[in-house]
Amino acid sequence: MAGNTFGKIYQLTSFGESHGKAVGGVIDGCPPGTPVDETYIQVELDRRRPGQSKITTQRQEGDQVEILSGVLDGVATGTPIGFIIRNKDHRSNDYDNMKKVFRPSHADFTYDQKYGIRDHRGGGRSSARETIARVVAGAIAKKALESHGVSIKAYTSRVGNIEVQKSYKELDLSRIEENIIRCPDMDVAREMIELVDGIRKAGDTIGGVITCVAQGVPVGLGEPAFDKLHAQLGKAMLSINAVKGFEYGSGFEGTRLQGSEHNDKFVSEGGKIITEKNHSGGIQGGISNGQDIYLNVAFKPVATILQKQVTVNSEGNETELKVKGRHDPCVLPRAVPIVESMMAITLLDMLLTNKIYG
Amino acid sequence: MAGNTFGKIYQLTSFGESHGKAVGGVIDGCPPGTPVDETYIQVELDRRRPGQSKITTQRQEGDQVEILSGVLDGVATGTPIGFIIRNKDHRSNDYDNMKKVFRPSHADFTYDQKYGIRDHRGGGRSSARETIARVVAGAIAKKALESHGVSIKAYTSRVGNIEVQKSYKELDLSRIEENIIRCPDMDVAREMIELVDGIRKAGDTIGGVITCVAQGVPVGLGEPAFDKLHAQLGKAMLSINAVKGFEYGSGFEGTRLQGSEHNDKFVSEGGKIITEKNHSGGIQGGISNGQDIYLNVAFKPVATILQKQVTVNSEGNETELKVKGRHDPCVLPRAVPIVESMMAITLLDMLLTNKIYG
Amino acid sequence: MAGNTFGKIYQLTSFGESHGKAVGGVIDGCPPGTPVDETYIQVELDRRRPGQSKITTQRQEGDQVEILSGVLDGVATGTPIGFIIRNKDHRSNDYDNMKKVFRPSHADFTYDQKYGIRDHRGGGRSSARETIARVVAGAIAKKALESHGVSIKAYTSRVGNIEVQKSYKELDLSRIEENIIRCPDMDVAREMIELVDGIRKAGDTIGGVITCVAQGVPVGLGEPAFDKLHAQLGKAMLSINAVKGFEYGSGFEGTRLQGSEHNDKFVSEGGKIITEKNHSGGIQGGISNGQDIYLNVAFKPVATILQKQVTVNSEGNETELKVKGRHDPCVLPRAVPIVESMMAITLLDMLLTNKIYG
Amino acid sequence: MAGNTFGKIYQLTSFGESHGKAVGGVIDGCPPGTPVDETYIQVELDRRRPGQSKITTQRQEGDQVEILSGVLDGVATGTPIGFIIRNKDHRSNDYDNMKKVFRPSHADFTYDQKYGIRDHRGGGRSSARETIARVVAGAIAKKALESHGVSIKAYTSRVGNIEVQKSYKELDLSRIEENIIRCPDMDVAREMIELVDGIRKAGDTIGGVITCVAQGVPVGLGEPAFDKLHAQLGKAMLSINAVKGFEYGSGFEGTRLQGSEHNDKFVSEGGKIITEKNHSGGIQGGISNGQDIYLNVAFKPVATILQKQVTVNSEGNETELKVKGRHDPCVLPRAVPIVESMMAITLLDMLLTNKIYG
């Protein structure tokens, strides 16, 4: 109700503030027998970890997960999986001057108004450290999905105006981790990194788009009318910090087409019914049709810039703000595993939901 | 769970198929004392009604709502509001040839696979007739929101490549109903109508974008982390038939900017803290900040075209399909009240949820 | 949220007031392929119907169900099943003198205080006419459970101090419908009927207990920690009008025993593991163990008596109340199908929930 | 969905096994500003703690709570409160012989069948150590309710056949903590303790009843039809380990009365409308009426006895079981704070829910 739980069957409840003792969560509804591999979870957390490259924040956090329950001999028992990750390298003093100042385009003002009380240190609950819990739940979900033949890959497809021109089908998605911006087109990646590095030096930030693809998704996932698969995926992605837009399949551009151009012709191939073009993005009528699910997620430029800004304080008086602290010039590289995680959590949740029809 | 309920407190559960006896719904959690004005509900239903103009389907449905419970002397009593709308002008025979054929880009194949049984007549449950229930719940929500000073307006902002160039602030939103495409820019509207009419004559369809604006929204709506206001709005919109994308505030385009350009400076105006640019689209950290909420919803071209198409049947054999029936060449004009309804339902739901902090 | 939905997967949302246009509901999550037999539903409704015998209220309602959606050729399609039952024989004038008077032990005062507005006619939403929707959903659930080998029987086991002395195992549960009090012990039934008839003539009412037994329930239903099978069953039964208590298995009496007497010894019988005594009532650790589930539900005497009573009106002034209208001297015979329905709805819901582990 | 979350607004999600690393939980929806006093929480945990007296299990656990998030300067911030309690004194080896043996009247068999995998050490998830999380959430809820004038007291009212003869109104509820069985009638308490001590020495166990009273509850809590206040309370209590029955107000005994005897006459007293007898137990039509809420909860004798028992193993072969480990001869004294906690959690949840009507 108060918004810290996601999913209907595979449910993640997350907790924790940026500079509190720990962040963590509870996963309820994980199917018994699912492998829970702490080494793999750590690999995923390391993809999201601060300080991983020169173009991310330099906050140093090991982000070591400790699993407290629900797992026996490396597999889920079906009981809730509680886990925590202790916060270590927080420099709360860096935030002293923000206690009563509302940073532009940040959640300071709205949290203050909504709750009447606010943990201002490091952004408190509104910090993207909350997404750690998503990556833990996502890593477990990915492994569970793997056994159903589902694989998930996300990558940075645009930074500012620098964009991958190829479709995901023309890219080698196994190469995403080869560069620090997480873009499988190596030439474009180089340009993106250069852009972000320049932005970083200027104390500024930049936005962009992440593309995510799920392959091998079984037919039948999604619950119309209101819980259509893409509606759940849209909510999942829009709940990630800094996201401003979502589209799947042919998306916004597809709306320029006529039905006769846009329609996905069904064909029979080796006993399976597939579509030729997949403008539908793997989802028809809110239900997966077995084709690739692909979608785009738009991330705004990070609100915290290192330049001087004019804003107001909680008394409504104008004040000048010069942010200290260590911040990301561009969230995209670290957001890639988060997007994958939300895709995995949503697909596993819908796959389990679909079992009620079995 | 099975997807036919929307909202957490102001909850709509909808039911009904295109060619069944009736469509309808139950609204639970409507605050007692809310005016329930059947005349106004009918006005809203008439905006959604088929057969309202030459550029919509010619199916003739009065779409008369009958409220069965939860209302006394014109106001909600706090108990559930049950309502039905009987289906009248269905010509189920038009669909006989589709019983075992999967229409391209339609929900036929996925429903068939998911449920194993399918009411093929008029698209059954996957038909947009389901949205009637949303308009009823939306009309009541709009009235409830009005008493909180909230007003909601949606309009067609792009059809194919014909686009309103002005921002919503430069338009007179009171003129939306003056033309049959529901676009407040009269010159653009004329072009849009001409385009749709040509498309219709060719037996084809076209997509586009609807923009929706909510003004007067109180500060504090939205429940982070997972139920951020824009995540709920995104889910609401993506659950409408034919929607492929969603963005709010600066949206996809805003991701091209740098933080120093994009950030919303806070200023104090007449004792109120506001932002100057509202790139945030009225939502920061997932919580409304009192500024206008504005968003775009992308609708694909209607899948049902009147041209001959090649597809497969349920045995997987290739077959030719020539659709009969009466269909919309463009869903946008009829979708405008649906988008407004989902905005209203979501905002009222979040407003009621926010009361737990009061 | 506002309390008119029951169940997690097989979900009933009910609506309707005693003297409104109709009562009805929506069943979401009914497995596709479930037979939906209107004749059978009507049989069940007739068991609950007013005016069925001399010891029930004489209000005459046919209680004819009309199913509006979700069913094709006699089976559920997996889409929501909407249904209504029109109210016919309401004499709202009988309630004019109660508009501003709070009937003792009734919901008049609390509804008035909670909602600020109240449909006083026939008790409005607090009337047991709401349970009609439960019987419809229960009838469908019973049929779905039958295909899993589950059968459900309830009967009146005590009226006032007249009590069936035998355990359910010693009774012939196929004979419940042979008398108007619905008690399978014919001698006890005769005494009960005599008692109720006397009470009725005195314008008074009487309480009692209904026992319900489910046989053939598969092992594994129930979701600890909070949604233990008996916790869900308890909530289901306690939500029925006039219920004051619930116990299962050895219940309150079993708490007098020592562990060594009370414990259910496991034995192996024909390859199946069963318990010898079933003090556990078919549920251990909140999960069904394959043995019979049996439980008792306590119903208070109906609050509406035909004798003069002193009470207060909405201004807080003392007033005398003489109720008109037609009322039950004892709810038990009509509550038998309601108890069975709540058992069926809960078991089917838990059976579907358990599929996520399959 | 999988059963580890309780409440609609004030939501507790619990996790943890008896012999795992930790038990804990997340409280979502705690109103910002609620005092969160770790010292008081510890006082409550100490009432539930093992090893507190000679008539409880001798397992030694400090049960120190560590709060990880959601609290700043001693008050809740409105964000989720994560907390853990590490398990320390577990002797898992004591359970080696139970790995493949099903203890009578325990959850071993059903967990094994449901999940296919089972943490047998100390009962795993089915252990009452899970209730620690309830006591933490209950302590916070009690403090929140105090500010609304609500006070909650529970006590042992029957052990085996030794029963408090007085109504709660005739007892001094401030004296509950004065003896180790937690019964405010000192003479009866002495008898109860003697009984339990004898039972303990015999290696046996005994059941009984806990009575709980809430005073000062505002009018209006509870959401008919399905979430009636007593239905939620019933579910809350029945979800506690070892509970077999629930009744409120006049309960099972009241069903023996006639309506004319049972009905609660309304009277006006000092401008407030109250009832004279309160047979309704403070709840009418599922909604609190401002009178005391009182209820009884039946606890079966603990299943783990120290006597030799015959049972079967997971292969279905008969085997003899001699339990080691440290166990409670009677759960009642330690269950008193758990019953109070579930009352507090439920009332706070319903109080917050009721705000949507404000």
Side-chain angles (χ1 to χ4, degrees), chain A residues 1 3 8 105 110 114 161 204 220 222-223 226-228 235 239 246 256 260 263-264 284 354, chain B residues 1 3 8 105 110 114 161 204 220 222-223 226-228 235 239 246 256 260 263-264 284 303 354:
Chain A
M1 190 67 199
K8 299 200 286 189
S105 289
T110 51
K114 184 179 183 77
N161 288 311
D204 213 334
E223 301 297 313
F226 296 108
D227 299 343
K228 293 186 168 91
K235 179 178 168 178
S239 76
F246 169 87
R256 298 178 188 274
S260 56
N263 275 0
D264 278 341
Q284 289 174 328
N354 198 44
Chain B
M1 188 68 202
K8 298 200 286 189
S105 290
T110 52
K114 184 178 183 77
N161 289 311
D204 214 332
E223 302 297 315
F226 295 107
D227 299 344
K228 294 186 168 88
K235 179 177 169 177
S239 75
F246 169 86
R256 299 178 187 274
S260 55
N263 275 0
D264 278 341
Q284 289 174 328
N354 197 44

Short mmCIF file of all heavy atoms in Angstrom, two decimals, chain A residues 1 3 8 105 110 114 161 204 220 222-223 226-228 235 239 246 256 260 263-264 284 354, chain B residues 1 3 8 105 110 114 161 204 220 222-223 226-228 235 239 246 256 260 263-264 284 303 354:
data_model
loop_
_atom_site.label_atom_id
_atom_site.label_comp_id
_atom_site.label_asym_id
_atom_site.label_seq_id
_atom_site.Cartn_x
_atom_site.Cartn_y
_atom_site.Cartn_z
N MET A 1 0.83 -1.22 0.00
CA MET A 1 0.00 0.00 0.00
C MET A 1 0.86 1.26 0.00
O MET A 1 0.66 2.16 -0.78
CB MET A 1 -0.84 -0.01 1.30
CG MET A 1 -1.88 1.05 1.31
SD MET A 1 -3.09 0.65 0.06
CE MET A 1 -3.84 2.26 -0.12
N GLY A 3 3.79 1.39 -0.93
CA GLY A 3 4.62 1.46 -2.13
C GLY A 3 5.96 0.75 -2.12
O GLY A 3 6.71 0.88 -3.08
N LYS A 8 3.18 -9.64 -7.61
CA LYS A 8 1.98 -10.24 -7.05
C LYS A 8 2.28 -11.59 -6.41
O LYS A 8 1.75 -11.92 -5.37
CB LYS A 8 0.93 -10.40 -8.15
CG LYS A 8 0.52 -9.04 -8.74
CD LYS A 8 -0.80 -9.07 -9.44
CE LYS A 8 -0.71 -9.78 -10.76
NZ LYS A 8 -1.95 -9.63 -11.55
N SER A 105 14.98 19.53 -8.98
CA SER A 105 14.65 18.27 -9.66
C SER A 105 14.95 17.03 -8.82
O SER A 105 15.05 15.93 -9.33
CB SER A 105 15.38 18.17 -11.01
OG SER A 105 14.79 19.11 -11.91
N THR A 110 9.33 17.19 -2.26
CA THR A 110 8.12 16.38 -2.19
C THR A 110 8.12 15.44 -0.98
O THR A 110 7.09 15.26 -0.33
CB THR A 110 7.92 15.57 -3.50
OG1 THR A 110 9.13 14.87 -3.81
CG2 THR A 110 7.57 16.49 -4.66
N LYS A 114 5.31 15.49 1.84
CA LYS A 114 4.47 14.31 2.01
C LYS A 114 4.58 13.74 3.42
O LYS A 114 3.57 13.45 4.05
CB LYS A 114 4.88 13.22 1.01
CG LYS A 114 3.98 11.98 1.07
CD LYS A 114 4.37 10.92 0.06
CE LYS A 114 3.39 9.75 0.10
NZ LYS A 114 2.13 9.99 -0.57
N ASN A 161 22.71 12.67 -27.40
CA ASN A 161 22.31 12.45 -28.80
C ASN A 161 23.11 11.36 -29.48
O ASN A 161 22.95 11.13 -30.68
CB ASN A 161 22.44 13.76 -29.58
CG ASN A 161 21.34 14.74 -29.19
OD1 ASN A 161 20.17 14.38 -29.13
ND2 ASN A 161 21.74 15.97 -28.86
N ASP A 204 28.69 18.40 -14.82
CA ASP A 204 27.31 18.33 -15.30
C ASP A 204 26.90 16.85 -15.43
O ASP A 204 27.66 15.95 -15.04
CB ASP A 204 27.19 19.05 -16.65
CG ASP A 204 25.84 19.72 -16.82
OD1 ASP A 204 24.86 19.24 -16.21
OD2 ASP A 204 25.76 20.72 -17.56
N GLY A 220 1.81 -16.58 -23.27
CA GLY A 220 0.74 -16.61 -22.26
C GLY A 220 0.95 -15.73 -21.04
O GLY A 220 0.05 -15.64 -20.20
N GLY A 222 0.97 -12.43 -18.75
CA GLY A 222 0.24 -11.16 -18.74
C GLY A 222 -1.20 -11.39 -18.38
O GLY A 222 -1.78 -12.42 -18.74
N GLU A 223 -1.78 -10.46 -17.64
CA GLU A 223 -3.15 -10.62 -17.14
C GLU A 223 -4.00 -9.42 -17.55
O GLU A 223 -4.09 -8.43 -16.83
CB GLU A 223 -3.12 -10.73 -15.60
CG GLU A 223 -2.31 -11.88 -15.06
CD GLU A 223 -2.83 -13.24 -15.47
OE1 GLU A 223 -4.05 -13.47 -15.36
OE2 GLU A 223 -2.01 -14.09 -15.88
N PHE A 226 -6.15 -5.04 -16.75
CA PHE A 226 -5.32 -3.97 -16.18
C PHE A 226 -3.86 -4.39 -15.99
O PHE A 226 -3.00 -3.54 -15.94
CB PHE A 226 -5.91 -3.49 -14.86
CG PHE A 226 -7.25 -2.85 -15.02
CD1 PHE A 226 -8.42 -3.47 -14.60
CD2 PHE A 226 -7.36 -1.60 -15.61
CE1 PHE A 226 -9.66 -2.88 -14.77
CE2 PHE A 226 -8.59 -0.98 -15.78
CZ PHE A 226 -9.75 -1.63 -15.35
N ASP A 227 -3.62 -5.66 -15.84
CA ASP A 227 -2.25 -6.12 -15.61
C ASP A 227 -1.64 -6.72 -16.86
O ASP A 227 -0.96 -7.75 -16.82
CB ASP A 227 -2.24 -7.13 -14.45
CG ASP A 227 -2.74 -6.50 -13.16
OD1 ASP A 227 -2.80 -5.25 -13.07
OD2 ASP A 227 -3.07 -7.26 -12.23
N LYS A 228 -1.88 -6.06 -17.98
CA LYS A 228 -1.26 -6.47 -19.23
C LYS A 228 0.25 -6.55 -19.02
O LYS A 228 0.82 -5.76 -18.26
CB LYS A 228 -1.60 -5.47 -20.33
CG LYS A 228 -3.07 -5.45 -20.72
CD LYS A 228 -3.32 -4.52 -21.92
CE LYS A 228 -4.72 -4.72 -22.50
NZ LYS A 228 -5.72 -3.83 -21.89
N LYS A 235 5.26 -0.16 -15.52
CA LYS A 235 5.31 0.26 -14.12
C LYS A 235 6.66 -0.09 -13.50
O LYS A 235 7.27 0.70 -12.78
CB LYS A 235 4.19 -0.41 -13.33
CG LYS A 235 4.21 -0.02 -11.88
CD LYS A 235 3.09 -0.61 -11.06
CE LYS A 235 3.40 -0.37 -9.58
NZ LYS A 235 2.35 -0.85 -8.69
N SER A 239 9.27 2.83 -12.19
CA SER A 239 9.53 2.93 -10.75
C SER A 239 11.02 3.07 -10.44
O SER A 239 11.40 3.30 -9.29
CB SER A 239 8.96 1.72 -10.02
OG SER A 239 9.77 0.58 -10.21
N PHE A 246 8.75 5.19 -21.28
CA PHE A 246 8.78 3.75 -21.54
C PHE A 246 8.06 3.50 -22.86
O PHE A 246 7.01 4.07 -23.12
CB PHE A 246 8.08 3.02 -20.40
CG PHE A 246 7.81 1.56 -20.69
CD1 PHE A 246 8.78 0.60 -20.41
CD2 PHE A 246 6.59 1.13 -21.23
CE1 PHE A 246 8.54 -0.75 -20.67
CE2 PHE A 246 6.35 -0.21 -21.50
CZ PHE A 246 7.33 -1.15 -21.21
N ARG A 256 3.33 6.23 -36.08
CA ARG A 256 3.29 7.00 -37.33
C ARG A 256 2.87 6.11 -38.50
O ARG A 256 2.56 6.62 -39.58
CB ARG A 256 4.69 7.58 -37.61
CG ARG A 256 5.14 8.53 -36.52
CD ARG A 256 6.56 9.09 -36.77
NE ARG A 256 7.02 9.84 -35.62
CZ ARG A 256 6.75 11.14 -35.42
NH1 ARG A 256 6.05 11.82 -36.30
NH2 ARG A 256 7.19 11.76 -34.33
N SER A 260 -1.83 -1.32 -42.04
CA SER A 260 -1.37 -2.27 -43.06
C SER A 260 0.15 -2.42 -43.05
O SER A 260 0.68 -3.45 -43.44
CB SER A 260 -1.85 -1.82 -44.45
OG SER A 260 -1.41 -0.49 -44.69
N ASN A 263 0.95 -4.00 -38.94
CA ASN A 263 0.46 -5.30 -38.49
C ASN A 263 1.50 -6.41 -38.61
O ASN A 263 2.23 -6.48 -39.59
CB ASN A 263 -0.79 -5.69 -39.28
CG ASN A 263 -2.04 -5.08 -38.66
OD1 ASN A 263 -1.97 -4.36 -37.66
ND2 ASN A 263 -3.20 -5.35 -39.26
N ASP A 264 1.53 -7.24 -37.60
CA ASP A 264 2.44 -8.38 -37.55
C ASP A 264 1.78 -9.60 -38.18
O ASP A 264 0.93 -10.24 -37.55
CB ASP A 264 2.78 -8.70 -36.09
CG ASP A 264 3.88 -7.82 -35.54
OD1 ASP A 264 4.62 -7.21 -36.33
OD2 ASP A 264 3.98 -7.73 -34.30
N GLN A 284 0.90 -9.23 -27.34
CA GLN A 284 -0.34 -8.89 -28.05
C GLN A 284 -1.53 -9.03 -27.13
O GLN A 284 -1.70 -10.08 -26.49
CB GLN A 284 -0.49 -9.78 -29.29
CG GLN A 284 0.53 -9.39 -30.38
CD GLN A 284 0.55 -10.30 -31.58
OE1 GLN A 284 0.29 -11.48 -31.47
NE2 GLN A 284 0.87 -9.73 -32.73
N ASN A 354 0.76 -16.99 -14.21
CA ASN A 354 0.14 -17.75 -15.29
C ASN A 354 -0.09 -19.22 -14.93
O ASN A 354 -0.89 -19.90 -15.57
CB ASN A 354 1.01 -17.65 -16.55
CG ASN A 354 0.26 -18.02 -17.81
OD1 ASN A 354 -0.89 -17.61 -17.97
ND2 ASN A 354 0.87 -18.82 -18.65
N MET B 1 -5.68 -10.17 -8.99
CA MET B 1 -4.67 -11.17 -9.38
C MET B 1 -4.77 -11.52 -10.87
O MET B 1 -3.79 -11.52 -11.58
CB MET B 1 -4.91 -12.43 -8.55
CG MET B 1 -3.85 -13.44 -8.70
SD MET B 1 -2.32 -12.82 -7.96
CE MET B 1 -1.17 -13.83 -8.84
N GLY B 3 -6.13 -9.76 -12.98
CA GLY B 3 -5.91 -8.56 -13.78
C GLY B 3 -7.10 -7.67 -14.08
O GLY B 3 -6.98 -6.72 -14.84
N LYS B 8 -5.84 0.88 -5.66
CA LYS B 8 -5.60 0.31 -4.35
C LYS B 8 -6.72 0.67 -3.37
O LYS B 8 -7.13 -0.15 -2.57
CB LYS B 8 -4.26 0.81 -3.82
CG LYS B 8 -3.10 0.38 -4.72
CD LYS B 8 -1.77 0.44 -4.02
CE LYS B 8 -1.28 1.86 -3.86
NZ LYS B 8 0.12 1.90 -3.36
N SER B 105 -1.68 -8.92 -35.30
CA SER B 105 -1.51 -7.87 -34.28
C SER B 105 -2.73 -7.75 -33.36
O SER B 105 -2.90 -6.74 -32.69
CB SER B 105 -1.21 -6.52 -34.94
OG SER B 105 0.10 -6.56 -35.49
N THR B 110 -2.92 -14.95 -28.63
CA THR B 110 -2.46 -15.03 -27.24
C THR B 110 -3.58 -15.45 -26.28
O THR B 110 -3.35 -16.24 -25.37
CB THR B 110 -1.83 -13.70 -26.80
OG1 THR B 110 -2.74 -12.62 -27.09
CG2 THR B 110 -0.52 -13.45 -27.52
N LYS B 114 -3.40 -18.71 -23.99
CA LYS B 114 -3.39 -18.53 -22.54
C LYS B 114 -4.57 -19.24 -21.88
O LYS B 114 -4.39 -19.96 -20.90
CB LYS B 114 -3.47 -17.04 -22.18
CG LYS B 114 -3.38 -16.78 -20.66
CD LYS B 114 -3.41 -15.30 -20.34
CE LYS B 114 -3.24 -15.07 -18.85
NZ LYS B 114 -1.88 -15.22 -18.36
N ASN B 161 1.85 11.58 -38.78
CA ASN B 161 2.90 12.59 -38.66
C ASN B 161 2.36 14.00 -38.47
O ASN B 161 3.12 14.97 -38.45
CB ASN B 161 3.81 12.54 -39.88
CG ASN B 161 4.69 11.29 -39.88
OD1 ASN B 161 5.32 10.99 -38.87
ND2 ASN B 161 4.69 10.56 -40.98
N ASP B 204 -7.83 1.36 -44.19
CA ASP B 204 -6.63 1.24 -43.36
C ASP B 204 -6.84 1.96 -42.02
O ASP B 204 -7.95 2.44 -41.73
CB ASP B 204 -5.42 1.84 -44.12
CG ASP B 204 -4.14 1.08 -43.82
OD1 ASP B 204 -4.04 0.49 -42.71
OD2 ASP B 204 -3.25 1.07 -44.69
N GLY B 220 2.13 15.83 -2.85
CA GLY B 220 2.22 14.67 -1.96
C GLY B 220 1.66 13.37 -2.49
O GLY B 220 1.79 12.34 -1.82
N GLY B 222 1.50 9.91 -4.51
CA GLY B 222 2.49 8.96 -5.03
C GLY B 222 3.16 8.24 -3.87
O GLY B 222 3.37 8.83 -2.81
N GLU B 223 3.47 6.95 -4.07
CA GLU B 223 4.03 6.14 -3.00
C GLU B 223 5.32 5.48 -3.44
O GLU B 223 5.32 4.38 -3.98
CB GLU B 223 3.01 5.06 -2.59
CG GLU B 223 1.65 5.56 -2.13
CD GLU B 223 1.73 6.39 -0.87
OE1 GLU B 223 2.43 6.00 0.07
OE2 GLU B 223 1.11 7.48 -0.84
N PHE B 226 7.98 1.75 -5.26
CA PHE B 226 7.47 1.07 -6.46
C PHE B 226 6.21 1.71 -7.02
O PHE B 226 5.91 1.54 -8.19
CB PHE B 226 7.25 -0.42 -6.18
CG PHE B 226 8.51 -1.16 -5.88
CD1 PHE B 226 8.81 -1.59 -4.59
CD2 PHE B 226 9.43 -1.40 -6.88
CE1 PHE B 226 9.99 -2.27 -4.31
CE2 PHE B 226 10.62 -2.08 -6.61
CZ PHE B 226 10.91 -2.50 -5.32
N ASP B 227 5.47 2.38 -6.17
CA ASP B 227 4.21 2.97 -6.63
C ASP B 227 4.34 4.47 -6.80
O ASP B 227 3.45 5.25 -6.44
CB ASP B 227 3.08 2.63 -5.63
CG ASP B 227 2.87 1.13 -5.52
OD1 ASP B 227 3.34 0.39 -6.40
OD2 ASP B 227 2.21 0.69 -4.56
N LYS B 228 5.46 4.86 -7.39
CA LYS B 228 5.64 6.28 -7.73
C LYS B 228 4.45 6.73 -8.57
O LYS B 228 3.89 5.94 -9.35
CB LYS B 228 6.95 6.44 -8.51
CG LYS B 228 8.21 6.14 -7.70
CD LYS B 228 9.48 6.48 -8.49
CE LYS B 228 10.71 6.47 -7.61
NZ LYS B 228 11.35 5.15 -7.48
N LYS B 235 1.34 2.66 -15.75
CA LYS B 235 0.61 1.40 -15.81
C LYS B 235 -0.83 1.64 -16.26
O LYS B 235 -1.37 0.90 -17.10
CB LYS B 235 0.63 0.72 -14.45
CG LYS B 235 -0.15 -0.58 -14.45
CD LYS B 235 -0.10 -1.32 -13.15
CE LYS B 235 -1.14 -2.44 -13.21
NZ LYS B 235 -1.15 -3.29 -12.03
N SER B 239 -2.30 0.13 -19.81
CA SER B 239 -3.32 -0.92 -19.76
C SER B 239 -4.48 -0.65 -20.72
O SER B 239 -5.35 -1.50 -20.89
CB SER B 239 -3.86 -1.05 -18.33
OG SER B 239 -4.74 0.01 -18.01
N PHE B 246 4.64 5.52 -23.18
CA PHE B 246 4.22 6.51 -22.18
C PHE B 246 5.43 7.35 -21.80
O PHE B 246 6.53 6.82 -21.64
CB PHE B 246 3.70 5.75 -20.94
CG PHE B 246 3.48 6.64 -19.74
CD1 PHE B 246 2.29 7.31 -19.56
CD2 PHE B 246 4.49 6.80 -18.78
CE1 PHE B 246 2.09 8.13 -18.44
CE2 PHE B 246 4.30 7.61 -17.66
CZ PHE B 246 3.10 8.28 -17.49
N ARG B 256 17.94 14.03 -23.70
CA ARG B 256 19.03 14.56 -24.53
C ARG B 256 19.72 15.74 -23.84
O ARG B 256 20.80 16.16 -24.26
CB ARG B 256 18.48 15.00 -25.89
CG ARG B 256 17.86 13.85 -26.67
CD ARG B 256 17.26 14.31 -28.00
NE ARG B 256 16.53 13.21 -28.63
CZ ARG B 256 17.10 12.28 -29.41
NH1 ARG B 256 18.39 12.33 -29.67
NH2 ARG B 256 16.38 11.32 -29.93
N SER B 260 22.23 20.54 -16.07
CA SER B 260 22.18 22.00 -15.85
C SER B 260 21.08 22.66 -16.68
O SER B 260 20.55 23.70 -16.29
CB SER B 260 23.53 22.61 -16.18
OG SER B 260 23.90 22.26 -17.51
N ASN B 263 17.37 20.70 -15.10
CA ASN B 263 16.91 20.85 -13.71
C ASN B 263 15.84 21.94 -13.56
O ASN B 263 15.93 23.00 -14.17
CB ASN B 263 18.10 21.18 -12.81
CG ASN B 263 18.81 19.90 -12.37
OD1 ASN B 263 18.41 18.80 -12.74
ND2 ASN B 263 19.85 20.05 -11.56
N ASP B 264 14.87 21.63 -12.73
CA ASP B 264 13.77 22.55 -12.42
C ASP B 264 14.14 23.41 -11.21
O ASP B 264 14.10 22.93 -10.07
CB ASP B 264 12.50 21.76 -12.09
CG ASP B 264 11.76 21.29 -13.32
OD1 ASP B 264 12.00 21.85 -14.41
OD2 ASP B 264 10.93 20.37 -13.19
N GLN B 284 8.16 14.67 -8.69
CA GLN B 284 9.58 14.55 -8.33
C GLN B 284 9.75 13.46 -7.29
O GLN B 284 9.06 13.47 -6.26
CB GLN B 284 10.10 15.91 -7.83
CG GLN B 284 10.23 16.92 -8.98
CD GLN B 284 10.61 18.31 -8.54
OE1 GLN B 284 10.24 18.75 -7.46
NE2 GLN B 284 11.31 19.03 -9.40
N ALA B 303 -5.46 -2.61 -35.22
CA ALA B 303 -5.02 -3.81 -35.93
C ALA B 303 -6.03 -4.28 -36.97
O ALA B 303 -5.67 -4.87 -37.99
CB ALA B 303 -4.74 -4.94 -34.93
N ASN B 354 -2.94 8.81 0.02
CA ASN B 354 -2.13 9.79 0.75
C ASN B 354 -2.76 10.21 2.08
O ASN B 354 -2.09 10.73 2.96
CB ASN B 354 -1.91 11.03 -0.14
CG ASN B 354 -0.77 11.88 0.35
OD1 ASN B 354 0.28 11.35 0.71
ND2 ASN B 354 -0.96 13.18 0.41
#
